[in-house]
Amino acid sequence: MIASHALLSAQSISLVYRGGVRALENISLELPPGQFVSLVGPSGCGKSSILRLVAGLTAPTAGKLLVAGEPASRARRSAVRLAFVFQDPTLLPWRRVEDNVALPLELAGGARSARIEAARSALELVGLSDFARRFPSQLSGGMRMRASLARALVVQPELLLLDEPFAALDDITRQKLNTELSRLWEQRRWTGVFVTHNIAEAVFLSQRVIVMCARPGRIIADVQVPFEFPRTMELRSRPDFARLCGEVMSLLERGSR
Amino acid sequence: MSEAVRAAARAVLPPAVFLILIVLGWQLAIVVWQLPPYLVPSPRDVWAASQEHAADLGWAIPLTGAAALTGFGLSLVCGTLLGLVFSQFKWVQRSIYPYAIFLQTVPIVAVAPLLILWFGYGFQGVVAVSFILSLFPIITAATSGLTQIDPNLVELFAVHNATRLQELLKLRLPNAVPYIVTGAKISCGLAVIGAIVGEIYAGFQGEHIGLGTLITRANAALDTSYVFAGVLGSTLLSIAIFATVSVLGSTILARWHVAAGRDSTTR
């Protein structure tokens, strides 16, 4: 069943790497606009590959992948405002934070004053206003990740792809950024695909958790997360939150057997 | 303040003391073993020779320096341009870059007489030797800097639909700057060597001669003190050029906010 209004529509896509490694097999997935989805699974299950396919950085070996009605290889050029947050902050060390954040607008050819203004307000969203004129090397790991997030938000994305963005951070910083990301999503309602292997993070952030297993990478479960927004720290200590995390965990375990 | 003075003293004092010891040992060896001045002149002889030939040395050092800086400058420009071509055209890199690496292991000094033959027994010939000798470190440094880029950054530019020119100007070239600075530090010393070797084969046909020619002539005249004075002049020239390139490089790197200075490998 193909929903025509889906922002992201994957129809039995497969990805085989050179040398015959089957990274993804028969992945079908529909994402309505504005939904925040997490992909969880063990390393090697191809969850990051899905993001790269959606961003049009690689092409599927088989199957059909549409983003906003266009093939993924074309979509980011015309059909959809897309942003990608990498596992590392991926900032240019020779640029000030605000110039890093403004980079996507600069590449699109925006006027300097307008893009710096946009960068400043994106930095405000992530609480980095006071650090706009600093260089990345002068920021902590958590702050660099916030800057990276600001750079994604500056394009006002309709589709935001996040590839384990908080994996390298300590747990306290990670939970804090989870809460902020959730708040930002509530304001902006982009369509989000969040890749992680942290179950609590996936459940906390998402409306829906896709559970994957490895060798070859495939989807084994699609779990709805019913918790209301705004989601705050208290949610993490609720028994129904813990129960849902446990459920996802046992699905993962069953998949790895 | 006093802490800064103490730090400076810690940096300067040990090598200064060592230099004094070397000069004293040199003088002592001459006295103890009765070394004749045509084999090893005393420090005082060398000093006297440099005073006596001050005018010639005063011409030779800037003349050789000019040839070395011209060769180095050409290397910097041509090496970076070649690196650019390599980074933009994979097939050019695949077909030519192996030779660039291979040529680094060949003693290029051996072709100096040929270069002099082709480019003339004068300034151009000397510059050509200096250029060839100092070129390869820049090529390899520029090529590495333009191609060894965090793949995530390349994908970031791709996700935001950067053109090839944008990727080159806003990602690859800035990324190459610290690499080229490191290459330049190696290259500038080689440029001085190249200039002196070039002069040994060519000499200047004008009224003034460079350090290489000066040393060969003094050697032919068995004026060993003068040879020493020429070597000393070459060393000073080399140090001056290297120090200038280092300071300029550090300034650029500081502006670039890369951690090269704090990197444990360069300390």
Side-chain angles (χ1 to χ4, degrees):
Chain A
M1 192 186 69
I2 303 162
S4 60
H5 62 276
L7 189 93
L8 180 72
S9 158
Q11 291 150 40
S12 38
I13 51 172
S14 299
L15 180 65
V16 181
Y17 285 126
R18 260 179 298 179
V21 179
R22 289 181 301 162
L24 292 171
E25 195 169 78
N26 201 20
I27 301 281
S28 291
L29 189 61
E30 296 276 328
L31 249 66
Q35 192 172 55
F36 198 111
V37 174
S38 283
L39 305 177
V40 290
S43 38
C45 72
K47 50 196 193 298
S48 295
S49 301
I50 293 183
L51 288 193
R52 295 169 43 79
L53 286 170
V54 172
L57 294 169
T58 34
T61 317
K64 201 164 149 201
L65 179 61
L66 295 178
V67 176
E70 292 269 336
S73 56
R74 263 211 316 268
R76 67 159 198 266
R77 295 186 190 279
S78 51
V80 72
R81 282 196 307 276
L82 183 148
F84 202 114
V85 181
F86 297 89
Q87 182 168 354
D88 301 311
T90 316
L91 301 168
L92 301 172
W94 55 84
R95 278 178 177 238
R96 292 182 192 279
V97 169
E98 61 182 10
D99 292 318
N100 262 295
V101 172
L103 179 73
L105 304 176
E106 189 180 327
L107 293 174
R112 178 163 169 90
S113 56
R115 55 182 203 245
I116 291 298
E117 198 178 310
R120 291 266 171 84
S121 56
L123 282 167
E124 203 179 316
L125 281 178
V126 300
L128 270 189
S129 289
D130 296 340
F131 299 89
R133 301 287 296 160
R134 300 283 185 91
F135 284 88
S137 59
Q138 298 166 319
L139 303 187
S140 69
M143 285 156 94
R144 276 179 223 169
M145 212 56 239
R146 283 168 198 263
S148 186
L149 203 55
R151 182 183 55 200
L153 296 177
V154 83
V155 300
Q156 313 228 328
E158 296 159 302
L159 177 59
L160 183 59
L161 309 172
L162 304 107
D163 190 4
E164 301 189 45
F166 309 136
L169 303 177
D170 63 90
D171 220 37
I172 297 167
T173 312
R174 178 199 279 249
Q175 291 190 9
K176 209 168 150 202
L177 282 171
N178 282 168
T179 311
E180 285 180 34
L181 182 63
S182 183
R183 174 180 57 81
L184 286 169
W185 175 81
E186 258 198 282
Q187 290 171 19
R188 300 289 189 90
R189 296 278 169 168
W190 60 70
T191 309
V193 186
F194 190 96
V195 161
T196 180
H197 46 233
N198 183 315
I199 294 165
E201 182 174 69
V203 171
F204 180 85
L205 285 169
S206 317
Q207 295 171 303
R208 186 176 161 198
V209 174
I210 311 274
V211 184
M212 296 180 66
C213 74
R215 274 172 294 273
R218 58 197 188 280
I219 294 173
I220 51 172
D222 191 335
V223 181
Q224 298 295 319
V225 182
F227 308 121
E228 70 288 355
F229 287 84
R231 293 183 182 171
T232 55
M233 279 298 203
E234 287 94 285
L235 175 62
R236 289 179 187 274
S237 48
R238 266 166 49 182
D240 47 350
F241 180 82
R243 203 176 309 125
L244 193 56
C245 288
E247 211 174 285
V248 172
M249 172 67 94
S250 59
L251 283 165
L252 266 172
E253 242 165 48
R254 222 174 300 151
S256 66
R257 239 183 274 143
Chain B
M1 179 62 194
S2 70
E3 184 52 42
V5 171
R6 222 173 298 158
R10 250 202 308 274
V12 172
L13 222 55
V17 169
F18 186 68
L19 181 68
I20 292 168
L21 284 177
I22 288 284
V23 174
L24 284 178
W26 175 4
Q27 183 75 54
L28 197 70
I30 289 165
V31 175
V32 170
W33 287 301
Q34 303 270 306
L35 297 170
Y38 64 85
L39 272 187
V40 186
S42 72
R44 205 181 303 152
D45 294 338
V46 174
W47 179 249
S50 26
Q51 296 295 97
E52 189 191 334
H53 300 286
D56 286 339
L57 283 166
W59 274 105
I61 293 175
L63 207 54
T64 305
L69 285 179
T70 312
F72 172 59
L74 284 173
S75 289
L76 212 52
V77 174
C78 298
T80 306
L81 286 177
L82 271 169
L84 259 174
V85 173
F86 286 163
S87 74
Q88 292 301 294
F89 305 102
K90 268 272 160 305
W91 54 274
V92 179
Q93 184 183 358
R94 273 198 212 109
S95 48
I96 300 179
Y97 195 59
Y99 295 101
I101 302 230
F102 172 69
L103 274 176
Q104 264 191 312
T105 66
V106 170
I108 305 169
V109 175
V111 302
L114 287 175
L115 290 172
I116 298 292
L117 189 67
W118 294 332
F119 289 92
Y121 289 81
F123 192 73
Q124 293 108 297
V126 174
V127 168
V129 178
S130 169
F131 166 66
I132 290 292
L133 215 62
S134 58
L135 177 63
F136 291 101
I138 303 284
I139 296 180
T140 43
T143 308
S144 311
L146 288 162
T147 52
Q148 286 174 16
I149 293 175
D150 176 2
N152 280 346
L153 281 172
V154 176
E155 295 202 327
L156 173 75
F157 273 66
V159 161
H160 293 295
N161 306 314
T163 64
R164 205 164 159 173
L165 185 65
Q166 283 177 324
E167 191 195 80
L168 180 63
L169 295 180
K170 293 177 198 293
L171 177 58
R172 291 185 186 273
L173 272 177
N175 187 73
V177 167
Y179 290 77
I180 294 174
V181 166
T182 309
K185 280 193 191 168
I186 300 167
S187 168
C188 70
L190 290 171
V192 177
I193 296 177
I196 290 173
V197 169
E199 285 167 354
I200 287 176
Y201 286 104
F204 287 116
Q205 285 182 321
E207 118 191 55
H208 299 292
I209 55 171
L211 284 164
T213 320
L214 182 146
I215 290 168
T216 344
R217 288 192 189 166
N219 193 41
L222 276 182
D223 189 349
T224 314
S225 306
Y226 193 15
V227 174
F228 266 70
V231 171
L232 204 65
S234 313
T235 311
L236 289 179
L237 174 65
S238 217
I239 290 172
I241 289 180
F242 180 77
T244 311
V245 171
S246 291
V247 168
L248 281 176
S250 308
T251 314
I252 292 170
L253 290 186
R255 162 100 184 62
W256 237 248
H257 289 267
V258 282
R262 275 160 279 158
D263 191 342
S264 57
T265 54
T266 56
R267 268 271 156 102

